[in-house]
PDB file of all heavy atoms in Angstrom:
ATOM      1  N   TRP D  68      34.718  92.672-178.175  1.00 98.00           N
ATOM      2  CA  TRP D  68      34.860  91.417-178.795  1.00 98.00           C
ATOM      3  C   TRP D  68      35.386  91.589-180.266  1.00 98.00           C
ATOM      4  O   TRP D  68      34.723  92.408-181.040  1.00 98.00           O
ATOM      5  CB  TRP D  68      33.616  90.603-178.803  1.00 98.00           C
ATOM      6  CG  TRP D  68      33.107  90.170-177.493  1.00 98.00           C
ATOM      7  CD1 TRP D  68      33.256  90.802-176.247  1.00 98.00           C
ATOM      8  CD2 TRP D  68      32.366  88.937-177.181  1.00 98.00           C
ATOM      9  NE1 TRP D  68      32.674  90.093-175.255  1.00 98.00           N
ATOM     10  CE2 TRP D  68      32.043  89.022-175.811  1.00 98.00           C
ATOM     11  CE3 TRP D  68      31.887  87.917-177.875  1.00 98.00           C
ATOM     12  CZ2 TRP D  68      31.363  87.950-175.133  1.00 98.00           C
ATOM     13  CZ3 TRP D  68      31.160  86.947-177.338  1.00 98.00           C
ATOM     14  CH2 TRP D  68      30.980  86.955-175.916  1.00 98.00           C
ATOM     15  N   SER D 105      42.415  85.359-177.851  1.00 96.00           N
ATOM     16  CA  SER D 105      42.145  84.316-176.774  1.00 96.00           C
ATOM     17  C   SER D 105      40.865  83.543-177.102  1.00 96.00           C
ATOM     18  O   SER D 105      40.494  82.729-176.274  1.00 96.00           O
ATOM     19  CB  SER D 105      41.929  85.183-175.473  1.00 96.00           C
ATOM     20  OG  SER D 105      41.101  86.241-175.728  1.00 96.00           O
ATOM     21  N   GLY D 106      40.278  83.719-178.234  1.00 98.00           N
ATOM     22  CA  GLY D 106      39.231  82.882-178.572  1.00 98.00           C
ATOM     23  C   GLY D 106      37.829  83.392-178.222  1.00 98.00           C
ATOM     24  O   GLY D 106      37.687  84.255-177.313  1.00 98.00           O
ATOM     25  N   LEU D 108      33.714  81.902-177.371  1.00 98.00           N
ATOM     26  CA  LEU D 108      32.931  80.676-177.257  1.00 98.00           C
ATOM     27  C   LEU D 108      31.391  81.099-177.062  1.00 98.00           C
ATOM     28  O   LEU D 108      31.098  82.043-176.378  1.00 98.00           O
ATOM     29  CB  LEU D 108      33.410  80.116-175.870  1.00 98.00           C
ATOM     30  CG  LEU D 108      32.606  78.956-175.215  1.00 98.00           C
ATOM     31  CD1 LEU D 108      32.711  77.688-176.080  1.00 98.00           C
ATOM     32  CD2 LEU D 108      32.984  78.732-173.801  1.00 98.00           C
ATOM     33  N   LEU D 142      35.915  72.288-173.065  1.00 98.00           N
ATOM     34  CA  LEU D 142      35.199  73.337-172.532  1.00 98.00           C
ATOM     35  C   LEU D 142      35.741  73.798-171.219  1.00 98.00           C
ATOM     36  O   LEU D 142      35.812  74.982-170.876  1.00 98.00           O
ATOM     37  CB  LEU D 142      33.658  72.822-172.411  1.00 98.00           C
ATOM     38  CG  LEU D 142      32.586  73.855-172.249  1.00 98.00           C
ATOM     39  CD1 LEU D 142      32.586  74.970-173.354  1.00 98.00           C
ATOM     40  CD2 LEU D 142      31.233  73.203-172.249  1.00 98.00           C
ATOM     41  N   THR D 143      36.041  72.840-170.362  1.00 98.00           N
ATOM     42  CA  THR D 143      36.559  73.192-169.058  1.00 98.00           C
ATOM     43  C   THR D 143      37.880  73.939-169.238  1.00 98.00           C
ATOM     44  O   THR D 143      38.086  74.906-168.395  1.00 98.00           O
ATOM     45  CB  THR D 143      36.939  71.797-168.282  1.00 98.00           C
ATOM     46  OG1 THR D 143      35.632  71.128-168.243  1.00 98.00           O
ATOM     47  CG2 THR D 143      37.289  72.132-166.915  1.00 98.00           C
ATOM     48  N   ALA D 144      38.663  73.764-170.156  1.00 98.00           N
ATOM     49  CA  ALA D 144      39.901  74.471-170.348  1.00 98.00           C
ATOM     50  C   ALA D 144      39.672  75.915-170.656  1.00 98.00           C
ATOM     51  O   ALA D 144      40.389  76.752-170.302  1.00 98.00           O
ATOM     52  CB  ALA D 144      40.755  73.903-171.593  1.00 98.00           C
ATOM     53  N   GLN D 145      38.505  76.196-171.140  1.00 98.00           N
ATOM     54  CA  GLN D 145      38.145  77.645-171.453  1.00 98.00           C
ATOM     55  C   GLN D 145      37.386  78.383-170.295  1.00 98.00           C
ATOM     56  O   GLN D 145      37.632  79.465-170.178  1.00 98.00           O
ATOM     57  CB  GLN D 145      37.251  77.716-172.686  1.00 98.00           C
ATOM     58  CG  GLN D 145      37.906  77.268-173.954  1.00 98.00           C
ATOM     59  CD  GLN D 145      39.193  77.985-174.280  1.00 98.00           C
ATOM     60  OE1 GLN D 145      39.320  79.233-173.984  1.00 98.00           O
ATOM     61  NE2 GLN D 145      40.242  77.262-174.793  1.00 98.00           N
ATOM     62  N   VAL D 146      36.658  77.558-169.586  1.00 98.00           N
ATOM     63  CA  VAL D 146      35.818  78.286-168.526  1.00 98.00           C
ATOM     64  C   VAL D 146      35.875  77.690-167.180  1.00 98.00           C
ATOM     65  O   VAL D 146      35.148  78.051-166.217  1.00 98.00           O
ATOM     66  CB  VAL D 146      34.308  78.343-169.004  1.00 98.00           C
ATOM     67  CG1 VAL D 146      34.191  79.304-170.226  1.00 98.00           C
ATOM     68  CG2 VAL D 146      33.822  76.985-169.290  1.00 98.00           C
ATOM     69  N   GLY D 147      36.708  76.665-166.998  1.00 97.00           N
ATOM     70  CA  GLY D 147      36.793  75.999-165.642  1.00 97.00           C
ATOM     71  C   GLY D 147      35.570  75.255-165.269  1.00 97.00           C
ATOM     72  O   GLY D 147      34.824  74.814-166.209  1.00 97.00           O
ATOM     73  N   ASP D 148      35.192  75.175-163.964  1.00 95.00           N
ATOM     74  CA  ASP D 148      34.122  74.321-163.557  1.00 95.00           C
ATOM     75  C   ASP D 148      32.716  74.770-164.103  1.00 95.00           C
ATOM     76  O   ASP D 148      31.789  74.010-164.060  1.00 95.00           O
ATOM     77  CB  ASP D 148      34.037  74.416-161.900  1.00 95.00           C
ATOM     78  CG  ASP D 148      35.273  73.647-161.437  1.00 95.00           C
ATOM     79  OD1 ASP D 148      35.869  72.888-162.169  1.00 95.00           O
ATOM     80  OD2 ASP D 148      35.432  73.909-160.141  1.00 95.00           O
ATOM     81  N   ALA D 149      32.640  76.025-164.510  1.00 96.00           N
ATOM     82  CA  ALA D 149      31.401  76.552-165.003  1.00 96.00           C
ATOM     83  C   ALA D 149      30.962  75.635-166.229  1.00 96.00           C
ATOM     84  O   ALA D 149      29.731  75.556-166.549  1.00 96.00           O
ATOM     85  CB  ALA D 149      31.494  77.992-165.477  1.00 96.00           C
ATOM     86  N   ALA D 150      31.833  75.061-166.778  1.00 97.00           N
ATOM     87  CA  ALA D 150      31.616  74.154-168.033  1.00 97.00           C
ATOM     88  C   ALA D 150      30.439  73.172-167.724  1.00 97.00           C
ATOM     89  O   ALA D 150      29.741  72.800-168.642  1.00 97.00           O
ATOM     90  CB  ALA D 150      32.852  73.385-168.425  1.00 97.00           C
ATOM     91  N   TRP D 153      26.896  73.474-169.169  1.00 98.00           N
ATOM     92  CA  TRP D 153      26.690  73.520-170.664  1.00 98.00           C
ATOM     93  C   TRP D 153      26.924  72.109-171.295  1.00 98.00           C
ATOM     94  O   TRP D 153      27.891  71.374-170.756  1.00 98.00           O
ATOM     95  CB  TRP D 153      27.542  74.514-171.341  1.00 98.00           C
ATOM     96  CG  TRP D 153      27.188  75.894-170.882  1.00 98.00           C
ATOM     97  CD1 TRP D 153      26.068  76.543-171.095  1.00 98.00           C
ATOM     98  CD2 TRP D 153      28.066  76.899-170.298  1.00 98.00           C
ATOM     99  NE1 TRP D 153      26.081  77.879-170.479  1.00 98.00           N
ATOM    100  CE2 TRP D 153      27.326  78.052-170.079  1.00 98.00           C
ATOM    101  CE3 TRP D 153      29.442  76.849-169.921  1.00 98.00           C
ATOM    102  CZ2 TRP D 153      27.876  79.162-169.411  1.00 98.00           C
ATOM    103  CZ3 TRP D 153      30.000  77.994-169.285  1.00 98.00           C
ATOM    104  CH2 TRP D 153      29.195  79.152-169.090  1.00 98.00           C
ATOM    105  N   ARG D 164      39.997  89.818-178.439  1.00 98.00           N
ATOM    106  CA  ARG D 164      39.326  90.891-177.772  1.00 98.00           C
ATOM    107  C   ARG D 164      40.364  92.087-177.710  1.00 98.00           C
ATOM    108  O   ARG D 164      41.633  91.756-177.824  1.00 98.00           O
ATOM    109  CB  ARG D 164      38.941  90.477-176.389  1.00 98.00           C
ATOM    110  CG  ARG D 164      40.091  89.980-175.498  1.00 98.00           C
ATOM    111  CD  ARG D 164      39.585  89.555-174.111  1.00 98.00           C
ATOM    112  NE  ARG D 164      40.706  89.394-173.241  1.00 98.00           N
ATOM    113  CZ  ARG D 164      41.121  88.097-172.780  1.00 98.00           C
ATOM    114  NH1 ARG D 164      40.432  86.999-173.250  1.00 98.00           N
ATOM    115  NH2 ARG D 164      42.078  88.016-171.938  1.00 98.00           N
ATOM    116  N   THR D 247      33.628  94.830-163.918  1.00 97.00           N
ATOM    117  CA  THR D 247      33.763  94.447-162.546  1.00 97.00           C
ATOM    118  C   THR D 247      35.164  94.792-162.006  1.00 97.00           C
ATOM    119  O   THR D 247      36.068  95.104-162.732  1.00 97.00           O
ATOM    120  CB  THR D 247      33.634  92.879-162.464  1.00 97.00           C
ATOM    121  OG1 THR D 247      34.845  92.231-162.937  1.00 97.00           O
ATOM    122  CG2 THR D 247      32.497  92.334-163.254  1.00 97.00           C
ATOM    123  N   ALA D 250      39.495  90.157-160.363  1.00 96.00           N
ATOM    124  CA  ALA D 250      39.221  88.960-159.720  1.00 96.00           C
ATOM    125  C   ALA D 250      39.777  87.810-160.443  1.00 96.00           C
ATOM    126  O   ALA D 250      39.647  87.842-161.808  1.00 96.00           O
ATOM    127  CB  ALA D 250      37.712  88.708-159.454  1.00 96.00           C
ATOM    128  N   PRO D 251      40.428  86.901-159.950  1.00 94.00           N
ATOM    129  CA  PRO D 251      40.903  85.716-160.751  1.00 94.00           C
ATOM    130  C   PRO D 251      39.717  84.797-161.059  1.00 94.00           C
ATOM    131  O   PRO D 251      38.673  84.780-160.474  1.00 94.00           O
ATOM    132  CB  PRO D 251      41.840  84.950-159.759  1.00 94.00           C
ATOM    133  CG  PRO D 251      41.303  85.372-158.326  1.00 94.00           C
ATOM    134  CD  PRO D 251      40.639  86.691-158.440  1.00 94.00           C
ATOM    135  N   SER D 252      39.832  84.114-162.175  1.00 94.00           N
ATOM    136  CA  SER D 252      38.867  83.182-162.642  1.00 94.00           C
ATOM    137  C   SER D 252      39.514  82.201-163.633  1.00 94.00           C
ATOM    138  O   SER D 252      40.654  82.452-164.096  1.00 94.00           O
ATOM    139  CB  SER D 252      37.520  83.810-163.298  1.00 94.00           C
ATOM    140  OG  SER D 252      37.771  84.106-164.622  1.00 94.00           O
ATOM    141  N   ASN D 253      38.795  81.260-164.105  1.00 95.00           N
ATOM    142  CA  ASN D 253      39.216  80.294-165.061  1.00 95.00           C
ATOM    143  C   ASN D 253      38.707  80.665-166.520  1.00 95.00           C
ATOM    144  O   ASN D 253      38.839  79.872-167.447  1.00 95.00           O
ATOM    145  CB  ASN D 253      38.927  78.939-164.737  1.00 95.00           C
ATOM    146  CG  ASN D 253      39.677  78.441-163.465  1.00 95.00           C
ATOM    147  OD1 ASN D 253      40.875  78.595-163.387  1.00 95.00           O
ATOM    148  ND2 ASN D 253      38.906  77.884-162.559  1.00 95.00           N
ATOM    149  N   ILE D 254      38.134  81.929-166.630  1.00 98.00           N
ATOM    150  CA  ILE D 254      37.623  82.277-167.952  1.00 98.00           C
ATOM    151  C   ILE D 254      38.746  82.711-168.772  1.00 98.00           C
ATOM    152  O   ILE D 254      39.438  83.688-168.487  1.00 98.00           O
ATOM    153  CB  ILE D 254      36.551  83.421-167.763  1.00 98.00           C
ATOM    154  CG1 ILE D 254      35.471  82.954-166.889  1.00 98.00           C
ATOM    155  CG2 ILE D 254      36.042  83.784-169.155  1.00 98.00           C
ATOM    156  CD1 ILE D 254      34.561  84.033-166.470  1.00 98.00           C
ATOM    157  N   LYS D 255      38.982  81.928-169.963  1.00 97.00           N
ATOM    158  CA  LYS D 255      40.105  82.342-170.843  1.00 97.00           C
ATOM    159  C   LYS D 255      39.663  83.204-172.079  1.00 97.00           C
ATOM    160  O   LYS D 255      40.504  83.874-172.569  1.00 97.00           O
ATOM    161  CB  LYS D 255      40.701  81.061-171.341  1.00 97.00           C
ATOM    162  CG  LYS D 255      41.221  80.077-170.422  1.00 97.00           C
ATOM    163  CD  LYS D 255      42.605  80.484-169.873  1.00 97.00           C
ATOM    164  CE  LYS D 255      43.198  79.568-168.925  1.00 97.00           C
ATOM    165  NZ  LYS D 255      42.435  79.343-167.619  1.00 97.00           N
ATOM    166  N   CYS D 256      38.457  83.080-172.433  1.00 98.00           N
ATOM    167  CA  CYS D 256      38.035  83.672-173.753  1.00 98.00           C
ATOM    168  C   CYS D 256      36.764  84.495-173.585  1.00 98.00           C
ATOM    169  O   CYS D 256      36.160  84.660-172.441  1.00 98.00           O
ATOM    170  CB  CYS D 256      37.719  82.403-174.730  1.00 98.00           C
ATOM    171  SG  CYS D 256      36.404  81.310-174.101  1.00 98.00           S
ATOM    172  N   ASN D 257      36.277  85.085-174.751  1.00 98.00           N
ATOM    173  CA  ASN D 257      34.942  85.722-174.727  1.00 98.00           C
ATOM    174  C   ASN D 257      33.859  84.709-174.601  1.00 98.00           C
ATOM    175  O   ASN D 257      33.978  83.721-175.298  1.00 98.00           O
ATOM    176  CB  ASN D 257      34.682  86.519-175.988  1.00 98.00           C
ATOM    177  CG  ASN D 257      35.852  87.380-176.382  1.00 98.00           C
ATOM    178  OD1 ASN D 257      36.616  87.780-175.546  1.00 98.00           O
ATOM    179  ND2 ASN D 257      35.938  87.625-177.682  1.00 98.00           N
ATOM    180  N   VAL D 258      32.974  84.827-173.653  1.00 98.00           N
ATOM    181  CA  VAL D 258      31.944  83.722-173.486  1.00 98.00           C
ATOM    182  C   VAL D 258      30.615  84.367-173.646  1.00 98.00           C
ATOM    183  O   VAL D 258      30.229  85.320-172.998  1.00 98.00           O
ATOM    184  CB  VAL D 258      31.979  83.031-172.107  1.00 98.00           C
ATOM    185  CG1 VAL D 258      31.034  81.919-171.918  1.00 98.00           C
ATOM    186  CG2 VAL D 258      33.394  82.610-171.752  1.00 98.00           C
ATOM    187  N   PHE D 259      29.798  83.767-174.577  1.00 97.00           N
ATOM    188  CA  PHE D 259      28.454  84.189-174.770  1.00 97.00           C
ATOM    189  C   PHE D 259      27.446  83.177-174.369  1.00 97.00           C
ATOM    190  O   PHE D 259      27.490  82.007-174.961  1.00 97.00           O
ATOM    191  CB  PHE D 259      28.225  84.623-176.261  1.00 97.00           C
ATOM    192  CG  PHE D 259      26.794  85.080-176.384  1.00 97.00           C
ATOM    193  CD1 PHE D 259      26.487  86.499-176.213  1.00 97.00           C
ATOM    194  CD2 PHE D 259      25.712  84.262-176.765  1.00 97.00           C
ATOM    195  CE1 PHE D 259      25.157  86.998-176.341  1.00 97.00           C
ATOM    196  CE2 PHE D 259      24.386  84.771-176.924  1.00 97.00           C
ATOM    197  CZ  PHE D 259      24.152  86.035-176.769  1.00 97.00           C
ATOM    198  N   ILE D 263      24.470  85.620-169.905  1.00 96.00           N
ATOM    199  CA  ILE D 263      25.451  86.543-169.656  1.00 96.00           C
ATOM    200  C   ILE D 263      26.585  86.580-170.810  1.00 96.00           C
ATOM    201  O   ILE D 263      26.785  85.517-171.505  1.00 96.00           O
ATOM    202  CB  ILE D 263      26.267  86.161-168.303  1.00 96.00           C
ATOM    203  CG1 ILE D 263      27.123  87.265-167.756  1.00 96.00           C
ATOM    204  CG2 ILE D 263      26.955  84.893-168.337  1.00 96.00           C
ATOM    205  CD1 ILE D 263      26.432  88.237-166.842  1.00 96.00           C
ATOM    206  N   ALA D 264      27.076  87.725-171.182  1.00 98.00           N
ATOM    207  CA  ALA D 264      28.151  87.791-172.078  1.00 98.00           C
ATOM    208  C   ALA D 264      29.309  88.378-171.274  1.00 98.00           C
ATOM    209  O   ALA D 264      29.156  89.480-170.612  1.00 98.00           O
ATOM    210  CB  ALA D 264      27.797  88.732-173.231  1.00 98.00           C
ATOM    211  N   ILE D 265      30.507  87.711-171.378  1.00 98.00           N
ATOM    212  CA  ILE D 265      31.581  88.135-170.496  1.00 98.00           C
ATOM    213  C   ILE D 265      32.979  88.000-171.204  1.00 98.00           C
ATOM    214  O   ILE D 265      33.121  87.040-172.008  1.00 98.00           O
ATOM    215  CB  ILE D 265      31.636  87.265-169.110  1.00 98.00           C
ATOM    216  CG1 ILE D 265      32.722  87.791-168.225  1.00 98.00           C
ATOM    217  CG2 ILE D 265      31.779  85.778-169.474  1.00 98.00           C
ATOM    218  CD1 ILE D 265      32.572  87.270-166.802  1.00 98.00           C
ATOM    219  N   ARG D 266      33.847  88.984-170.902  1.00 98.00           N
ATOM    220  CA  ARG D 266      35.274  88.733-171.444  1.00 98.00           C
ATOM    221  C   ARG D 266      36.124  89.377-170.422  1.00 98.00           C
ATOM    222  O   ARG D 266      35.897  90.327-169.700  1.00 98.00           O
ATOM    223  CB  ARG D 266      35.422  89.363-172.725  1.00 98.00           C
ATOM    224  CG  ARG D 266      35.332  90.954-172.715  1.00 98.00           C
ATOM    225  CD  ARG D 266      36.351  91.706-173.546  1.00 98.00           C
ATOM    226  NE  ARG D 266      36.192  93.080-173.510  1.00 98.00           N
ATOM    227  CZ  ARG D 266      37.143  93.936-173.067  1.00 98.00           C
ATOM    228  NH1 ARG D 266      38.307  93.488-172.642  1.00 98.00           N
ATOM    229  NH2 ARG D 266      36.923  95.263-172.968  1.00 98.00           N
ATOM    230  N   PRO D 267      37.362  88.714-170.239  1.00 98.00           N
ATOM    231  CA  PRO D 267      38.239  89.179-169.319  1.00 98.00           C
ATOM    232  C   PRO D 267      38.873  90.507-169.869  1.00 98.00           C
ATOM    233  O   PRO D 267      39.005  90.786-171.070  1.00 98.00           O
ATOM    234  CB  PRO D 267      39.489  88.104-169.313  1.00 98.00           C
ATOM    235  CG  PRO D 267      38.793  86.885-169.830  1.00 98.00           C
ATOM    236  CD  PRO D 267      37.721  87.366-170.840  1.00 98.00           C
ATOM    237  N   ARG D 268      39.129  91.424-168.994  1.00 97.00           N
ATOM    238  CA  ARG D 268      39.736  92.769-169.334  1.00 97.00           C
ATOM    239  C   ARG D 268      41.273  92.792-169.173  1.00 97.00           C
ATOM    240  O   ARG D 268      41.725  92.029-168.307  1.00 97.00           O
ATOM    241  CB  ARG D 268      39.099  93.897-168.506  1.00 97.00           C
ATOM    242  CG  ARG D 268      37.644  94.071-168.771  1.00 97.00           C
ATOM    243  CD  ARG D 268      37.045  95.009-167.674  1.00 97.00           C
ATOM    244  NE  ARG D 268      37.736  96.363-167.875  1.00 97.00           N
ATOM    245  CZ  ARG D 268      37.348  97.373-168.538  1.00 97.00           C
ATOM    246  NH1 ARG D 268      36.172  97.238-169.226  1.00 97.00           N
ATOM    247  NH2 ARG D 268      37.923  98.466-168.486  1.00 97.00           N
ATOM    248  N   GLY D 271      42.331  93.100-165.515  1.00 97.00           N
ATOM    249  CA  GLY D 271      42.134  92.019-164.539  1.00 97.00           C
ATOM    250  C   GLY D 271      40.711  91.857-164.084  1.00 97.00           C
ATOM    251  O   GLY D 271      40.287  90.925-163.322  1.00 97.00           O
ATOM    252  N   GLY D 272      39.856  92.806-164.559  1.00 97.00           N
ATOM    253  CA  GLY D 272      38.412  92.669-164.278  1.00 97.00           C
ATOM    254  C   GLY D 272      37.746  91.998-165.448  1.00 97.00           C
ATOM    255  O   GLY D 272      38.334  91.441-166.320  1.00 97.00           O
ATOM    256  N   TYR D 273      36.393  92.203-165.558  1.00 98.00           N
ATOM    257  CA  TYR D 273      35.627  91.630-166.662  1.00 98.00           C
ATOM    258  C   TYR D 273      34.603  92.583-167.273  1.00 98.00           C
ATOM    259  O   TYR D 273      34.075  93.473-166.480  1.00 98.00           O
ATOM    260  CB  TYR D 273      34.858  90.418-166.216  1.00 98.00           C
ATOM    261  CG  TYR D 273      35.699  89.333-165.506  1.00 98.00           C
ATOM    262  CD1 TYR D 273      36.235  89.435-164.222  1.00 98.00           C
ATOM    263  CD2 TYR D 273      36.305  88.325-166.333  1.00 98.00           C
ATOM    264  CE1 TYR D 273      37.097  88.603-163.725  1.00 98.00           C
ATOM    265  CE2 TYR D 273      37.154  87.456-165.749  1.00 98.00           C
ATOM    266  CZ  TYR D 273      37.625  87.542-164.535  1.00 98.00           C
ATOM    267  OH  TYR D 273      38.655  86.736-163.983  1.00 98.00           O
ATOM    268  N   THR D 274      34.431  92.661-168.543  1.00 98.00           N
ATOM    269  CA  THR D 274      33.319  93.395-169.118  1.00 98.00           C
ATOM    270  C   THR D 274      32.179  92.460-169.256  1.00 98.00           C
ATOM    271  O   THR D 274      32.334  91.403-169.861  1.00 98.00           O
ATOM    272  CB  THR D 274      33.803  93.998-170.491  1.00 98.00           C
ATOM    273  OG1 THR D 274      34.791  95.015-170.203  1.00 98.00           O
ATOM    274  CG2 THR D 274      32.610  94.693-171.213  1.00 98.00           C
ATOM    275  N   VAL D 275      31.067  92.836-168.694  1.00 98.00           N
ATOM    276  CA  VAL D 275      29.847  91.956-168.573  1.00 98.00           C
ATOM    277  C   VAL D 275      28.622  92.657-169.144  1.00 98.00           C
ATOM    278  O   VAL D 275      28.491  93.844-169.039  1.00 98.00           O
ATOM    279  CB  VAL D 275      29.624  91.391-167.195  1.00 98.00           C
ATOM    280  CG1 VAL D 275      30.610  90.381-166.791  1.00 98.00           C
ATOM    281  CG2 VAL D 275      29.527  92.567-166.236  1.00 98.00           C
ATOM    282  N   LEU D 355      25.582  86.768-163.486  1.00 97.00           N
ATOM    283  CA  LEU D 355      26.974  86.486-163.415  1.00 97.00           C
ATOM    284  C   LEU D 355      27.319  85.565-162.177  1.00 97.00           C
ATOM    285  O   LEU D 355      28.068  84.645-162.324  1.00 97.00           O
ATOM    286  CB  LEU D 355      27.731  87.863-163.157  1.00 97.00           C
ATOM    287  CG  LEU D 355      29.244  87.844-163.012  1.00 97.00           C
ATOM    288  CD1 LEU D 355      29.877  87.296-164.323  1.00 97.00           C
ATOM    289  CD2 LEU D 355      29.873  89.204-162.634  1.00 97.00           C
ATOM    290  N   THR D 358      26.068  82.089-163.121  1.00 97.00           N
ATOM    291  CA  THR D 358      26.819  81.342-164.215  1.00 97.00           C
ATOM    292  C   THR D 358      28.295  81.031-163.743  1.00 97.00           C
ATOM    293  O   THR D 358      28.841  80.021-164.117  1.00 97.00           O
ATOM    294  CB  THR D 358      26.792  82.105-165.474  1.00 97.00           C
ATOM    295  OG1 THR D 358      25.513  82.678-165.696  1.00 97.00           O
ATOM    296  CG2 THR D 358      27.197  81.323-166.664  1.00 97.00           C
ATOM    297  N   PHE D 359      28.851  82.078-163.090  1.00 97.00           N
ATOM    298  CA  PHE D 359      30.304  81.889-162.708  1.00 97.00           C
ATOM    299  C   PHE D 359      30.434  82.166-161.183  1.00 97.00           C
ATOM    300  O   PHE D 359      30.687  83.215-160.665  1.00 97.00           O
ATOM    301  CB  PHE D 359      31.129  82.870-163.428  1.00 97.00           C
ATOM    302  CG  PHE D 359      31.188  82.672-164.970  1.00 97.00           C
ATOM    303  CD1 PHE D 359      30.386  83.381-165.835  1.00 97.00           C
ATOM    304  CD2 PHE D 359      32.027  81.596-165.426  1.00 97.00           C
ATOM    305  CE1 PHE D 359      30.465  83.207-167.156  1.00 97.00           C
ATOM    306  CE2 PHE D 359      31.984  81.411-166.853  1.00 97.00           C
ATOM    307  CZ  PHE D 359      31.177  82.144-167.774  1.00 97.00           C
ATOM    308  N   PRO D 360      30.187  81.130-160.345  1.00 96.00           N
ATOM    309  CA  PRO D 360      29.981  81.329-158.905  1.00 96.00           C
ATOM    310  C   PRO D 360      31.363  81.913-158.353  1.00 96.00           C
ATOM    311  O   PRO D 360      31.269  82.620-157.330  1.00 96.00           O
ATOM    312  CB  PRO D 360      29.789  79.931-158.358  1.00 96.00           C
ATOM    313  CG  PRO D 360      29.090  79.176-159.545  1.00 96.00           C
ATOM    314  CD  PRO D 360      29.668  79.762-160.777  1.00 96.00           C
ATOM    315  N   GLU D 361      32.505  81.525-159.019  1.00 95.00           N
ATOM    316  CA  GLU D 361      33.797  82.128-158.511  1.00 95.00           C
ATOM    317  C   GLU D 361      33.711  83.747-158.579  1.00 95.00           C
ATOM    318  O   GLU D 361      34.605  84.371-157.921  1.00 95.00           O
ATOM    319  CB  GLU D 361      34.962  81.526-159.238  1.00 95.00           C
ATOM    320  CG  GLU D 361      35.270  82.026-160.574  1.00 95.00           C
ATOM    321  CD  GLU D 361      34.680  81.182-161.686  1.00 95.00           C
ATOM    322  OE1 GLU D 361      33.663  80.631-161.555  1.00 95.00           O
ATOM    323  OE2 GLU D 361      35.469  81.042-162.751  1.00 95.00           O
ATOM    324  N   LEU D 362      32.775  84.338-159.377  1.00 97.00           N
ATOM    325  CA  LEU D 362      32.778  85.716-159.541  1.00 97.00           C
ATOM    326  C   LEU D 362      31.592  86.307-158.789  1.00 97.00           C
ATOM    327  O   LEU D 362      31.279  87.591-158.947  1.00 97.00           O
ATOM    328  CB  LEU D 362      32.632  86.160-161.020  1.00 97.00           C
ATOM    329  CG  LEU D 362      33.983  85.712-161.911  1.00 97.00           C
ATOM    330  CD1 LEU D 362      33.773  86.226-163.293  1.00 97.00           C
ATOM    331  CD2 LEU D 362      35.244  86.397-161.235  1.00 97.00           C
TER     332      LEU D 362
END
Side-chain angles (χ1 to χ4, degrees):
W68 293 33
S105 46
L108 171 70
L142 197 56
T143 306
Q145 294 305 323
V146 293
D148 290 345
W153 296 300
R164 58 181 190 251
T247 74
S252 83
N253 292 313
I254 303 169
K255 301 278 183 302
C256 58
N257 309 334
V258 185
F259 181 87
I263 194 95
I265 184 166
R266 66 139 179 122
R268 297 170 57 91
Y273 302 84
T274 293
V275 285
L355 179 63
T358 317
F359 296 101
E361 77 261 38
L362 296 178

